[in-house]
Amino acid sequence: MADSDKQHVTLISSTIIYSVLILLVLFRSTPGYTQSSTTISGFIKNDILNEEERKWLNAHDGKIKLAPAPDWEPMEFFDENGEYQGMVADYIRLIEKKLKVKFKIVRIETWEKILVLAKTRKIDVLSAAQATAERKRFMNWSTPYLDLKTTIIVEKSQKKTFTLDQMKGMKIGVPAEYAVGKFIRDNYPELTLIDVLNGSEGMHKVSFGELDAMIMEVPNALHVIENEKITNLRLAGDTGFELNLGLGTRKDWPILAQIIEKSLASISKKEHKDIYAKWIRL
Protein backbone atom coordinates (compact mmCIF):
# COMPACT_ATOMS: atom_id res chain seq x y z
CA MET A 1 0.00 0.00 0.00
CA ALA A 2 1.34 3.44 -0.91
CA ASP A 3 2.26 5.87 1.86
CA SER A 4 -0.52 8.22 0.76
CA ASP A 5 -3.08 5.40 1.07
CA LYS A 6 -1.81 4.49 4.54
CA GLN A 7 -2.10 8.09 5.65
CA HIS A 8 -5.65 8.22 4.27
CA VAL A 9 -6.69 5.06 6.19
CA THR A 10 -5.09 6.35 9.38
CA LEU A 11 -6.95 9.65 9.01
CA ILE A 12 -10.30 7.84 8.53
CA SER A 13 -9.66 5.58 11.57
CA SER A 14 -8.75 8.55 13.75
CA THR A 15 -11.87 10.40 12.62
CA ILE A 16 -14.11 7.41 13.48
CA ILE A 17 -12.55 6.97 16.94
CA TYR A 18 -12.86 10.69 17.64
CA SER A 19 -16.53 10.67 16.56
CA VAL A 20 -17.32 7.69 18.81
CA LEU A 21 -15.69 9.42 21.78
CA ILE A 22 -17.72 12.58 21.13
CA LEU A 23 -20.96 10.54 20.99
CA LEU A 24 -20.12 8.81 24.28
CA VAL A 25 -19.49 12.14 25.99
CA LEU A 26 -22.74 13.57 24.63
CA PHE A 27 -24.68 10.46 25.73
CA ARG A 28 -23.33 10.54 29.27
CA SER A 29 -24.14 14.25 29.58
CA THR A 30 -27.74 13.79 28.40
CA PRO A 31 -30.28 14.83 31.11
CA GLY A 32 -31.75 11.80 32.86
CA TYR A 33 -28.77 9.55 32.17
CA THR A 34 -27.33 7.96 35.30
CA GLN A 35 -24.94 5.11 35.78
CA SER A 36 -27.64 3.28 37.72
CA SER A 37 -29.39 2.53 34.40
CA THR A 38 -26.55 0.17 33.49
CA THR A 39 -25.42 -3.14 34.88
CA ILE A 40 -21.80 -2.01 35.31
CA SER A 41 -20.01 -1.93 38.68
CA GLY A 42 -22.90 -3.34 40.71
CA PHE A 43 -25.58 -1.01 39.38
CA ILE A 44 -28.94 -2.27 38.17
CA LYS A 45 -30.71 -1.67 34.89
CA ASN A 46 -33.74 0.64 35.28
CA ASP A 47 -32.93 1.14 38.96
CA ILE A 48 -35.41 3.26 40.94
CA LEU A 49 -32.48 4.49 43.05
CA ASN A 50 -29.76 6.96 42.16
CA GLU A 51 -26.08 6.04 42.31
CA GLU A 52 -25.53 7.27 45.88
CA GLU A 53 -28.59 5.43 47.19
CA ARG A 54 -27.64 2.20 45.40
CA LYS A 55 -24.09 2.27 46.79
CA TRP A 56 -25.40 2.84 50.33
CA LEU A 57 -28.00 0.07 50.04
CA ASN A 58 -25.54 -2.43 48.57
CA ALA A 59 -23.19 -1.75 51.50
CA HIS A 60 -26.03 -2.46 53.97
CA ASP A 61 -27.65 -5.44 52.22
CA GLY A 62 -28.72 -8.02 54.82
CA LYS A 63 -27.71 -5.73 57.69
CA ILE A 64 -30.75 -3.44 58.06
CA LYS A 65 -32.65 -4.71 61.11
CA LEU A 66 -36.44 -4.70 60.76
CA ALA A 67 -38.63 -5.65 63.74
CA PRO A 68 -42.24 -6.66 63.01
CA ALA A 69 -45.01 -6.50 65.59
CA PRO A 70 -44.92 -10.07 66.96
CA ASP A 71 -48.64 -10.95 67.38
CA TRP A 72 -50.71 -8.77 65.07
CA GLU A 73 -52.53 -11.20 62.81
CA PRO A 74 -53.36 -10.88 59.96
CA MET A 75 -51.18 -7.77 59.59
CA GLU A 76 -47.87 -9.32 60.64
CA PHE A 77 -46.87 -12.25 62.82
CA PHE A 78 -44.53 -15.22 63.09
CA ASP A 79 -46.06 -18.60 62.25
CA GLU A 80 -45.49 -21.91 64.03
CA ASN A 81 -42.24 -22.36 62.09
CA GLY A 82 -40.98 -18.92 63.06
CA GLU A 83 -41.55 -17.53 59.56
CA TYR A 84 -42.53 -13.89 59.12
CA GLN A 85 -46.05 -13.78 57.64
CA GLY A 86 -49.00 -11.45 57.07
CA MET A 87 -50.17 -8.52 55.02
CA VAL A 88 -47.31 -6.25 56.11
CA ALA A 89 -44.83 -9.10 55.53
CA ASP A 90 -46.01 -9.30 51.92
CA TYR A 91 -45.37 -5.57 51.53
CA ILE A 92 -41.88 -5.96 53.00
CA ARG A 93 -41.09 -8.79 50.56
CA LEU A 94 -42.36 -6.67 47.68
CA ILE A 95 -40.15 -3.77 48.80
CA GLU A 96 -37.18 -6.15 49.03
CA LYS A 97 -37.88 -7.32 45.48
CA LYS A 98 -38.12 -3.79 44.12
CA LEU A 99 -34.96 -2.67 45.92
CA LYS A 100 -33.10 -5.95 45.28
CA VAL A 101 -32.08 -6.12 48.92
CA LYS A 102 -32.81 -8.23 52.00
CA PHE A 103 -33.73 -6.89 55.41
CA LYS A 104 -32.58 -8.67 58.55
CA ILE A 105 -35.87 -9.66 60.22
CA VAL A 106 -35.51 -9.53 64.01
CA ARG A 107 -38.06 -11.19 66.27
CA ILE A 108 -38.77 -9.20 69.45
CA GLU A 109 -41.21 -10.36 72.15
CA THR A 110 -43.39 -7.26 72.51
CA TRP A 111 -44.23 -4.03 70.70
CA GLU A 112 -43.17 -2.06 73.80
CA LYS A 113 -39.67 -3.54 73.63
CA ILE A 114 -39.47 -2.90 69.87
CA LEU A 115 -40.05 0.82 70.46
CA VAL A 116 -37.38 0.92 73.18
CA LEU A 117 -34.87 -0.73 70.83
CA ALA A 118 -35.82 1.64 68.00
CA LYS A 119 -35.14 4.64 70.24
CA THR A 120 -31.63 3.35 70.97
CA ARG A 121 -31.00 2.47 67.27
CA LYS A 122 -30.70 -1.23 67.92
CA ILE A 123 -33.59 -1.61 65.46
CA ASP A 124 -33.35 0.22 62.12
CA VAL A 125 -36.84 -0.12 60.63
CA LEU A 126 -40.41 -0.36 61.93
CA SER A 127 -42.46 -2.14 59.29
CA ALA A 128 -45.92 -0.65 59.91
CA ALA A 129 -46.74 1.97 62.51
CA GLN A 130 -48.40 5.32 63.09
CA ALA A 131 -46.10 8.35 62.98
CA THR A 132 -47.00 9.89 66.35
CA ALA A 133 -45.29 13.05 67.61
CA GLU A 134 -43.26 10.97 70.07
CA ARG A 135 -42.11 8.49 67.41
CA LYS A 136 -41.12 11.30 65.04
CA ARG A 137 -38.47 12.32 67.56
CA PHE A 138 -36.42 9.19 66.96
CA MET A 139 -37.50 7.93 63.52
CA ASN A 140 -38.16 9.25 60.02
CA TRP A 141 -41.50 8.18 58.53
CA SER A 142 -42.61 7.24 55.06
CA THR A 143 -45.86 8.17 53.38
CA PRO A 144 -48.53 5.83 54.84
CA TYR A 145 -49.18 2.75 52.72
CA LEU A 146 -51.96 1.17 54.83
CA ASP A 147 -55.04 2.81 56.35
CA LEU A 148 -56.97 0.86 59.01
CA LYS A 149 -60.10 1.82 60.92
CA THR A 150 -60.28 1.03 64.63
CA THR A 151 -63.39 -0.47 66.19
CA ILE A 152 -65.07 -1.05 69.55
CA ILE A 153 -65.64 -4.73 70.43
CA VAL A 154 -68.14 -5.73 73.11
CA GLU A 155 -69.95 -8.85 74.31
CA LYS A 156 -73.04 -9.65 72.25
CA SER A 157 -75.41 -9.04 75.15
CA GLN A 158 -74.53 -5.34 74.74
CA LYS A 159 -77.01 -4.47 71.99
CA LYS A 160 -76.33 -0.76 71.48
CA THR A 161 -73.94 0.94 69.08
CA PHE A 162 -71.11 2.66 70.93
CA THR A 163 -69.01 5.77 70.40
CA LEU A 164 -66.10 6.73 72.64
CA ASP A 165 -68.02 9.54 74.33
CA GLN A 166 -70.58 6.97 75.56
CA MET A 167 -68.06 4.71 77.32
CA LYS A 168 -67.34 6.51 80.59
CA GLY A 169 -67.23 4.04 83.48
CA MET A 170 -66.42 1.06 81.24
CA LYS A 171 -63.17 -0.91 81.48
CA ILE A 172 -61.68 -0.61 77.99
CA GLY A 173 -58.74 -2.65 76.73
CA VAL A 174 -56.15 -1.26 74.30
CA PRO A 175 -52.89 -2.86 73.10
CA ALA A 176 -49.97 -1.39 75.06
CA GLU A 177 -48.08 1.42 73.28
CA TYR A 178 -50.43 1.42 70.28
CA ALA A 179 -51.27 4.78 68.74
CA VAL A 180 -55.01 4.35 69.29
CA GLY A 181 -54.42 4.26 73.05
CA LYS A 182 -52.59 7.58 72.97
CA PHE A 183 -55.37 9.09 70.83
CA ILE A 184 -58.01 8.09 73.38
CA ARG A 185 -55.97 9.21 76.40
CA ASP A 186 -55.36 12.61 74.78
CA ASN A 187 -58.93 13.18 73.61
CA TYR A 188 -61.03 11.23 76.14
CA PRO A 189 -59.13 11.48 79.45
CA GLU A 190 -62.26 10.54 81.38
CA LEU A 191 -62.23 6.99 79.97
CA THR A 192 -60.69 4.05 81.83
CA LEU A 193 -58.10 2.36 79.60
CA ILE A 194 -56.35 -0.88 80.50
CA ASP A 195 -53.26 -1.92 78.52
CA VAL A 196 -53.18 -5.50 77.24
CA LEU A 197 -50.43 -7.42 75.47
CA ASN A 198 -52.28 -7.70 72.14
CA GLY A 199 -55.72 -7.84 70.54
CA SER A 200 -56.19 -11.53 71.19
CA GLU A 201 -55.58 -11.19 74.93
CA GLY A 202 -57.91 -8.20 75.14
CA MET A 203 -60.74 -9.88 73.25
CA HIS A 204 -60.55 -12.97 75.45
CA LYS A 205 -60.80 -10.70 78.49
CA VAL A 206 -63.96 -9.14 77.04
CA SER A 207 -65.33 -12.59 76.25
CA PHE A 208 -64.85 -13.69 79.89
CA GLY A 209 -66.16 -10.44 81.39
CA GLU A 210 -62.81 -9.12 82.65
CA LEU A 211 -63.11 -6.09 80.35
CA ASP A 212 -66.22 -4.30 79.11
CA ALA A 213 -64.79 -3.49 75.69
CA MET A 214 -61.70 -3.81 73.52
CA ILE A 215 -60.46 -1.31 70.94
CA MET A 216 -58.37 -2.47 68.00
CA GLU A 217 -58.06 -2.45 64.21
CA VAL A 218 -60.95 -3.93 62.22
CA PRO A 219 -58.89 -6.57 60.31
CA ASN A 220 -57.23 -7.78 63.51
CA ALA A 221 -60.58 -7.96 65.33
CA LEU A 222 -62.25 -9.97 62.57
CA HIS A 223 -59.27 -12.32 62.35
CA VAL A 224 -59.26 -13.05 66.09
CA ILE A 225 -63.03 -13.64 66.22
CA GLU A 226 -62.91 -16.03 63.25
CA ASN A 227 -59.70 -17.92 63.98
CA GLU A 228 -59.99 -18.17 67.76
CA LYS A 229 -63.72 -19.01 67.62
CA ILE A 230 -64.79 -16.28 70.03
CA THR A 231 -68.49 -16.45 69.28
CA ASN A 232 -69.87 -14.10 71.95
CA LEU A 233 -68.30 -10.85 70.70
CA ARG A 234 -69.34 -8.29 68.10
CA LEU A 235 -68.09 -5.07 66.53
CA ALA A 236 -70.19 -2.34 68.15
CA GLY A 237 -68.96 0.99 66.84
CA ASP A 238 -66.29 3.14 65.22
CA THR A 239 -63.76 5.01 67.37
CA GLY A 240 -63.30 7.75 64.78
CA PHE A 241 -59.55 7.05 64.80
CA GLU A 242 -57.88 5.66 61.69
CA LEU A 243 -54.39 4.21 61.65
CA ASN A 244 -52.27 5.51 58.78
CA LEU A 245 -49.39 3.08 58.74
CA GLY A 246 -46.00 3.84 57.26
CA LEU A 247 -42.45 2.55 57.63
CA GLY A 248 -40.25 4.13 60.27
CA THR A 249 -36.48 4.38 59.72
CA ARG A 250 -33.78 5.45 62.13
CA LYS A 251 -33.27 9.20 62.29
CA ASP A 252 -29.54 9.19 61.54
CA TRP A 253 -30.06 7.35 58.22
CA PRO A 254 -31.99 9.90 56.11
CA ILE A 255 -30.83 8.16 52.94
CA LEU A 256 -32.72 5.02 54.00
CA ALA A 257 -35.89 7.10 54.34
CA GLN A 258 -35.40 8.32 50.74
CA ILE A 259 -34.89 4.75 49.54
CA ILE A 260 -38.00 3.45 51.32
CA GLU A 261 -40.09 6.31 49.94
CA LYS A 262 -39.03 5.47 46.38
CA SER A 263 -39.86 1.79 46.87
CA LEU A 264 -43.36 2.60 48.15
CA ALA A 265 -43.98 5.00 45.26
CA SER A 266 -43.16 2.19 42.82
CA ILE A 267 -45.91 -0.12 44.15
CA SER A 268 -48.76 -0.30 41.65
CA LYS A 269 -52.49 -0.15 42.43
CA LYS A 270 -52.78 -3.79 41.37
CA GLU A 271 -50.02 -4.82 43.77
CA HIS A 272 -51.78 -3.00 46.63
CA LYS A 273 -55.10 -4.62 45.70
CA ASP A 274 -53.64 -8.13 45.45
CA ILE A 275 -52.04 -7.96 48.90
CA TYR A 276 -55.18 -6.53 50.47
CA ALA A 277 -57.44 -9.17 48.90
CA LYS A 278 -55.17 -11.98 50.11
CA TRP A 279 -55.45 -11.03 53.79
CA ILE A 280 -58.58 -8.94 54.34
CA ARG A 281 -61.94 -10.66 53.98
CA LEU A 282 -64.83 -8.48 55.11
Side-chain angles (χ1 to χ4, degrees):
M1 183 182 291
D3 289 343
S4 60
D5 291 336
K6 289 180 180 179
Q7 290 174 354
H8 182 64
V9 170
T10 301
L11 180 60
I12 291 173
S13 299
S14 299
T15 302
I16 291 171
I17 292 169
Y18 180 74
S19 299
V20 169
L21 289 172
I22 290 294
L23 286 172
L24 285 172
V25 170
L26 288 172
F27 177 69
R28 290 180 66 86
S29 62
T30 301
Y33 173 84
T34 63
Q35 192 174 5
S36 61
S37 65
T38 75
T39 56
I40 299 172
S41 303
F43 293 100
I44 298 167
K45 188 175 182 180
N46 300 321
D47 200 349
I48 62 174
L49 305 182
N50 63 34
E51 182 175 335
E52 179 188 11
E53 292 163 344
R54 176 52 59 190
K55 282 182 177 178
W56 188 94
L57 194 59
N58 286 348
H60 291 79
D61 190 6
K63 302 174 185 176
I64 301 169
K65 296 186 290 294
L66 181 149
D71 298 298
W72 193 28
E73 298 181 51
M75 307 313 298
E76 57 180 352
F77 59 97
F78 291 92
D79 65 18
E80 61 275 10
N81 298 315
E83 295 295 322
Y84 180 36
Q85 302 288 352
M87 188 177 186
V88 173
D90 282 357
Y91 271 105
I92 296 303
R93 292 189 185 99
L94 181 59
I95 289 168
E96 288 179 324
K97 181 179 178 182
K98 289 178 178 293
L99 293 177
K100 296 176 174 57
V101 72
K102 286 290 184 184
F103 294 109
K104 183 177 181 180
I105 306 299
V106 181
R107 187 171 184 175
I108 308 297
E109 298 85 358
T110 67
W111 179 244
E112 292 172 287
K113 188 172 181 181
I114 288 171
L115 291 178
V116 170
L117 293 173
K119 287 178 184 178
T120 55
R121 295 174 181 167
K122 293 177 182 176
I123 293 298
D124 306 317
V125 179
L126 298 179
S127 51
Q130 183 88 0
T132 64
E134 164 64 19
R135 294 171 188 173
K136 286 179 180 178
R137 284 200 279 267
F138 59 91
M139 301 206 90
N140 293 316
W141 291 91
S142 74
T143 301
Y145 66 95
L146 270 176
D147 300 316
L148 302 176
K149 290 185 178 295
T150 54
T151 187
I152 300 163
I153 301 104
V154 299
E155 206 271 329
K156 281 183 176 177
S157 63
Q158 298 264 20
K159 301 297 184 183
K160 64 182 286 187
T161 298
F162 285 91
T163 58
L164 289 175
D165 55 9
Q166 298 171 324
M167 300 181 73
K168 187 175 180 179
M170 298 175 69
K171 292 184 293 183
I172 306 164
V174 291
E177 293 295 331
Y178 274 37
V180 66
K182 177 168 175 50
F183 167 79
I184 297 171
R185 287 184 171 102
D186 288 347
N187 293 278
Y188 300 88
E190 72 279 8
L191 297 186
T192 303
L193 296 189
I194 298 170
D195 287 339
V196 297
L197 182 63
N198 53 45
S200 176
E201 179 185 90
M203 291 178 73
H204 279 283
K205 285 180 179 291
V206 176
S207 179
F208 289 108
E210 298 173 41
L211 292 173
D212 298 313
M214 178 66 193
I215 291 175
M216 56 197 292
E217 306 80 17
V218 172
N220 188 216
L222 294 173
H223 179 88
V224 172
I225 288 172
E226 179 181 350
N227 287 271
E228 300 188 24
K229 312 299 181 188
I230 308 177
T231 58
N232 66 331
L233 300 184
R234 69 182 186 90
L235 277 60
D238 190 341
T239 66
F241 177 75
E242 183 175 86
L243 280 172
N244 308 119
L245 303 176
L247 282 105
T249 55
R250 51 188 285 177
K251 201 81 169 179
D252 61 333
W253 284 357
I255 193 169
L256 180 56
Q258 296 168 204
I259 290 168
I260 292 295
E261 195 65 31
K262 286 185 176 182
S263 71
L264 290 174
S266 73
I267 298 175
S268 69
K269 288 183 179 179
K270 183 180 185 304
E271 288 169 328
H272 279 292
K273 185 177 179 181
D274 288 347
I275 292 175
Y276 193 90
K278 176 181 174 182
W279 292 100
I280 307 298
R281 298 178 181 87
L282 297 178

